[in-house]
């Protein structure tokens, strides 16, 4: 249908009637947004109409704004090469609009120009188009708007963003104009109204593959950026941290230790559980610093680590922030600095657990904190393979010892689970017995952690552990609930191809227990069934459906619950098959 629509609109785009043309652009804007790329073959038919509406003296301001806003959508949703033959025709009328006295037209035109710059010279793929002749058209008009102080706020911001894009894509063609322009950015950085946009533009420039020379502004710019970390504006803090991260990665040879230290003193206060996202971005920046300037990190390690350990022990820590902390610890331990070596970090991470009192006491930290500590300790072990076997032994001994408090046992099991998932722990001969003995512990937390450990240790060694686990589920009714939880971990964390040989045995066992009178047990069986179906949906989903017409009401309810666990957050091969099952 698209060719027919274009054919019908083609004539109307040159009509005198402004209303008709606005209607055409409104329709085309929707079309380009809804079907990205659908107008690629029709660009030659559209360009004359666009140029006509931009250049036509009788066009109203709204007409021009609508035309520019359509052009922006068009440029964003189509591959750059389809526009290359038309740049010569398009550019002059867009540049004229940048100089328009009406601020709304200028603002739209700058947005279009920013997109045009990406089209003229896309840096992410090879192309043959020569952008150089067009720099002299693009640059002066944008520069004039960048210099102007008495213009609308939106125009100021878009002029900064547009110039940032020009330097990112075409900086190597600007020769002597580059440094004076960067100096203007420095001025805009000092202005409260334009500083956030300027930080984003500088981040873009610093990440350019053209390796733009920023040395002349770094000496003055870095302390200004450091001062932004103290400001109350959250967006400014986050953008500044991103900018500093890119500068340290790409310009490390131009930054002096004194400059870095000015930034470092601002960081500890940003790490707090009150704002996990700012903490995460700060810790990611610290990881970059630990890799690029290991010597600088040691100067603030005390204050930063104190804050990070508090986060690790916080019930709120999870997801991205936890992963950032894990990366940071791994980078830190590899800097080989004495105060932050493996034994030191281990001791500080686990201190609150070991100081948690007598064997009878319950858990002192929040449950989430034990998972976080275990993940961090496991990450340190994988970064220092020489130390790992000793740590594994120590935790196995902790679990065996009658003197260990429940808190210590829980941490030990969670650590063994983290390590066992990726490493074969068959060298630990007594591990299996130790875990099964813990199933009889008086503490519910210890039992649950032991069950989690058995499942994850099995993932790292399916051949030895899985047949044993299936046999135990069949023969140990008292431990069945915990063992089924272990099985759920195995199914959730094992790659599909390694599970395939065991699918039939697991399937048969689960259906043996799907009529259990205990609802808790049935729910775990259902979760196992649902997750197992994801291993081979084409074959297992029809078999699961078949069970709906067989068996007792209990068995049927288990199957219905199992379907719930086949629905996941991420797209999966099963999604297409589920459509026929549900509804």
């Amino acid at each position: 249908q698209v060719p027919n629509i274009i054919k019908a609109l083609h004539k109307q785009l040159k009509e005198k009637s402004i209303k008709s043309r606005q209607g055409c652009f409104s329709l085309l804007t929707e079309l380009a947004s809804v079907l990205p790329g659908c107008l690629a073959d029709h660009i030659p038919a559209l360009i004359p109409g666009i140029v006509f509406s931009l250049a036509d003296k009788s066009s109203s301001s709204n007409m021009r704004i609508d035309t520019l806003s359509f052009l922006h959508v068009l440029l964003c949703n189509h591959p750059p090469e389809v526009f290359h033959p038309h740049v010569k025709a398009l550019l002059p009328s867009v540049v004229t609009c940048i100089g328009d006295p009406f601020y709304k037209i200028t603002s739209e035109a700058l947005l279009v120009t920013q997109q045009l710059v990406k089209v003229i010279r896309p840096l992410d793929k090879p192309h043959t188009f020569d952008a150089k002749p067009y720099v002299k058209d693009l640059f002066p008009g944008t520069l004039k708007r960048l210099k102007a102080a008495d213009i609308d706020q939106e125009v100021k911001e878009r002029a900064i963003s547009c110039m940032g894009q020009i330097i990112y894509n075409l900086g190597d063609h600007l020769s002597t104009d580059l440094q004076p322009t960067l100096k203007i950015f420095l001025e805009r950085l000092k202005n409260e109204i334009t500083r956030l946009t300027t930080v984003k533009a500088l981040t873009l420039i610093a990440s350019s593959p053209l390796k733009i020379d920023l040395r002349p502004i770094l000496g003055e710019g870095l302390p200004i950026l450091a001062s932004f970390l103290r400001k109350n504006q959250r967006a400014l803090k986050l953008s500044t941290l991103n900018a500093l991260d890119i500068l340290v990665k790409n310009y490390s040879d131009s930054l002096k230790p004194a400059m870095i230290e000015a930034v470092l003193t601002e960081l500890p206060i940003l790490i707090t559980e009150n704002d996990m996202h700012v903490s995460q971005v700060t810790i990611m920046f610290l990881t970059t610093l630990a890799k690029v300037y290991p010597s600088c990190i040691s100067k603030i390690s005390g204050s930063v680590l104190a804050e990070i350990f508090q986060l690790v022990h916080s019930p709120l820590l999870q997801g991205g922030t936890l992963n950032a902390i894990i990366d940071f610890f791994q980078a830190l331990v590899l800097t080989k600095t004495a105060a932050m070596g493996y034994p030191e970090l281990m001791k500080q991470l686990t201190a609150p657990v070991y100081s948690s009192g007598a064997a009878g006491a319950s858990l002192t930290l929040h449950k989430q904190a034990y998972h976080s500590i275990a993940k961090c300790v496991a990450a340190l072990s994988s970064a220092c393979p020489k130390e790992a076997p000793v740590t594994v032994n120590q935790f196995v001994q902790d679990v065996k010892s009658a003197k260990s408090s429940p808190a210590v046992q829980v941490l030990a099991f969670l650590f063994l689970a983290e390590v066992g998932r990726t490493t074969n722990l068959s060298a630990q001969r007594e591990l299996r017995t130790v875990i099964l003995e813990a199933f009889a512990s008086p503490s519910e937390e210890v039992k649950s952690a032991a069950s989690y450990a058995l499942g994850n240790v099995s993932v790292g060694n399916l051949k030895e552990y899985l047949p044993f686990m299936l046999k135990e589920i069949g023969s140990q009714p008292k431990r069945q609930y915990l063992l089924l939880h272990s099985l759920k971990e195995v199914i959730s964390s094992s790659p599909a191809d390694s599970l395939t040989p065991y699918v039939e045995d697991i399937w048969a066992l689960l259906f043996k227990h799907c009529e259990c009178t205990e609802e808790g047990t049935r729910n775990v069986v259902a979760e196992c069934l649902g997750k197992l179906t994801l291993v081979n949906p084409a074959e297992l989903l029809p078999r699961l459906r078949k069970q709906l017409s067989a068996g007792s009401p209990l068995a049927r309810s288990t199957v219905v619950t199992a379907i719930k666990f086949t629905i996941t957050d991420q797209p999966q091969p099963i999604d297409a098959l589920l459509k026929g099952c549900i509804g």
Side-chain angles (χ1 to χ4, degrees):
Q1 290 168 325
V2 175
N4 298 341
I5 296 176
I6 303 299
K7 202 171 167 187
L9 295 182
H10 183 231
K11 279 195 191 118
Q12 310 218 2
L13 282 174
K14 292 240 175 140
E15 289 267 327
K16 276 276 180 280
S17 156
I18 288 178
K19 278 235 158 56
S20 307
R21 281 185 279 157
Q22 276 181 309
C24 292
F25 284 126
S26 166
L27 173 61
L28 287 165
T29 306
E30 286 301 322
L31 201 56
S33 308
V34 174
L35 282 175
C38 72
L39 299 175
D41 301 338
H42 308 290
I43 303 292
L46 296 172
I47 296 295
I50 293 172
V51 174
F52 173 71
S53 276
L54 289 180
D56 179 28
K57 291 282 178 284
S58 65
S59 284
S60 65
S61 303
N62 283 348
M63 180 71 251
R64 283 194 196 148
I65 293 168
D66 288 353
T67 311
L68 287 165
S69 107
F70 162 62
L71 183 53
H72 182 247
V73 171
L74 190 69
L75 291 167
C76 288
N77 288 321
H78 290 77
E81 52 278 6
V82 300
F83 299 104
H84 288 164
H86 310 288
V87 170
K88 200 171 176 182
L90 265 180
L91 201 60
S93 46
V94 175
V95 171
T96 311
C97 288
I98 296 180
D100 197 277
F102 185 39
Y103 76 95
K104 280 193 170 168
I105 292 180
T106 308
S107 172
E108 280 297 326
L110 284 165
L111 211 53
V112 170
T113 308
Q114 185 174 347
Q115 205 53 40
L116 261 175
V117 172
K118 297 184 200 173
V119 164
I120 289 174
R121 192 181 191 192
L123 294 178
D124 51 356
K125 49 182 167 185
H127 60 97
T128 50
F129 186 73
D130 179 19
K132 199 164 184 190
Y134 301 103
V135 177
K136 63 180 191 312
D137 296 328
L138 286 164
F139 181 76
T142 309
L143 182 66
K144 189 177 167 194
R145 289 301 184 183
L146 181 67
K147 283 179 170 170
D150 55 341
I151 49 171
D152 182 77
Q153 165 79 10
E154 190 179 77
V155 176
K156 273 184 192 163
E157 290 180 356
R158 286 186 175 174
I160 293 168
S161 304
C162 184
M163 186 56 88
Q165 196 73 53
I166 291 174
I167 297 175
Y168 173 89
N169 289 69
L170 303 163
D172 51 349
H173 292 328
L174 296 180
S175 59
T176 53
D177 286 325
L178 178 62
Q179 291 313 325
T181 310
L182 289 173
K183 286 276 192 286
I184 302 174
F185 275 115
L186 205 53
E187 292 309 309
R188 297 289 171 267
L189 207 54
K190 296 172 188 169
N191 179 329
E192 193 175 332
I193 294 173
T194 51
R195 63 192 180 191
L196 177 59
T197 313
T198 311
V199 170
K200 289 179 180 172
L202 285 172
T203 310
L204 181 69
I205 295 169
S207 65
S208 170
L210 304 175
K211 301 271 174 278
I212 307 296
D213 182 9
L214 292 177
R215 280 173 304 188
I217 64 164
L218 286 177
E220 201 181 333
L222 219 65
I224 298 175
L225 288 172
S227 73
F228 290 166
L229 297 175
R230 262 175 269 149
K231 302 284 185 249
N232 225 350
Q233 194 183 349
R234 186 169 181 266
L236 183 65
K237 277 183 198 167
L238 288 167
S239 296
T240 303
L241 286 164
N242 284 329
L244 289 165
D245 192 56
I246 291 280
L247 286 169
V248 168
K249 279 179 183 153
N250 294 350
Y251 293 87
S252 55
D253 45 355
S254 316
L255 302 174
K256 301 191 173 52
M259 293 181 180
I260 294 294
E261 278 160 33
V263 173
L264 281 174
T265 51
E266 307 294 342
L267 297 177
I269 197 166
L270 297 177
I271 301 170
T272 154
E273 66 176 14
N274 298 334
D275 191 331
M276 282 296 184
H277 188 54
V278 170
S279 301
Q280 178 182 339
V281 179
T282 307
I283 293 164
M284 285 157 81
F285 175 46
L286 281 163
T287 307
T288 303
L289 286 171
K291 289 174 184 168
V292 182
Y293 298 109
S295 53
C296 286
I297 276 284
S298 58
K299 297 194 171 157
I300 59 148
S301 63
S303 49
V304 161
L305 282 173
E307 299 298 339
I308 289 183
F309 287 130
Q310 270 206 293
L311 269 194
V312 174
H313 301 141
S314 154
L316 304 176
L317 180 67
Q318 55 175 341
T321 315
L322 176 57
N323 293 335
I325 291 178
I326 288 170
D327 290 343
F328 174 64
F329 281 143
Q330 288 185 321
L332 196 60
V333 78
L334 296 176
T335 61
K336 305 274 192 283
T337 320
M340 300 170 294
Y342 185 84
E344 270 305 302
L345 290 172
M346 287 297 247
K347 197 169 138 196
Q348 295 205 46
L349 268 171
T350 56
V353 179
Y354 282 100
S355 61
S356 63
S362 63
L363 301 194
T364 44
L365 294 169
H366 187 278
K367 199 169 156 191
Q368 178 59 40
Y370 291 90
H371 281 275
S372 303
I373 298 170
K375 280 190 159 74
C376 293
V377 174
L380 285 174
S381 310
S382 74
C384 307
K386 284 186 186 146
E387 314 276 358
V390 182
T391 310
V392 171
N393 272 333
Q394 178 216 321
F395 278 116
V396 172
Q397 295 315 314
D398 279 343
V399 173
K400 280 170 64 182
S401 160
K403 292 180 187 156
S404 295
S405 66
V408 170
Q409 289 184 310
V410 166
L411 176 63
F413 278 132
L414 294 178
F415 165 78
L416 291 166
E418 290 299 326
V419 176
R421 196 180 305 130
T422 50
T423 319
N424 186 333
L425 290 182
S426 53
Q428 295 289 336
R429 285 274 150 243
E430 52 196 0
L431 185 56
R432 196 192 295 179
T433 323
V434 168
I435 293 177
L436 288 177
E437 280 170 3
F439 279 11
S441 161
S443 157
E444 285 300 322
E445 281 91 356
V446 172
K447 281 196 237 180
S448 166
S451 150
Y452 181 75
L454 179 62
N456 282 288
V457 170
S458 304
V459 173
N461 185 1
L462 283 176
K463 202 162 84 208
E464 190 178 314
Y465 272 86
L466 190 55
F468 159 76
M469 190 192 294
L470 296 177
K471 191 173 123 242
E472 287 283 306
I473 293 174
S475 63
Q476 298 284 345
K478 274 194 174 164
R479 295 179 183 163
Q480 198 178 61
Y481 180 70
L482 290 168
L483 287 162
L484 282 167
H485 269 286
S486 304
L487 181 60
K488 178 187 79 184
E489 287 301 325
V490 175
I491 297 169
S492 306
S493 304
S494 299
D497 50 350
S498 57
L499 263 185
T500 308
Y502 305 101
V503 168
E504 287 306 321
D505 295 347
I506 301 175
W507 189 265
L509 179 88
L510 290 172
F511 271 107
K512 219 179 251 171
H513 294 287
C514 70
E515 297 184 31
C516 178
T517 47
E518 285 285 328
E519 189 184 353
T521 306
R522 283 203 312 277
N523 283 340
V524 189
V525 169
E527 191 169 343
C528 289
L529 273 173
K531 290 184 170 169
L532 188 62
T533 304
L534 294 173
V535 174
N536 181 0
E539 193 184 313
L540 296 177
L541 190 61
R543 283 170 65 180
L544 197 58
R545 276 183 77 169
K546 218 171 175 179
Q547 295 290 335
L548 277 176
S549 52
S552 64
L554 289 180
R556 292 206 298 276
S557 79
T558 307
V559 172
V560 172
T561 313
I563 293 286
K564 180 173 87 178
F565 292 103
T566 62
I567 302 165
T568 52
D569 300 341
Q570 302 303 322
Q572 292 270 13
I574 195 169
D575 296 348
L577 303 168
L578 276 176
K579 283 182 186 162
C581 277
I582 295 173

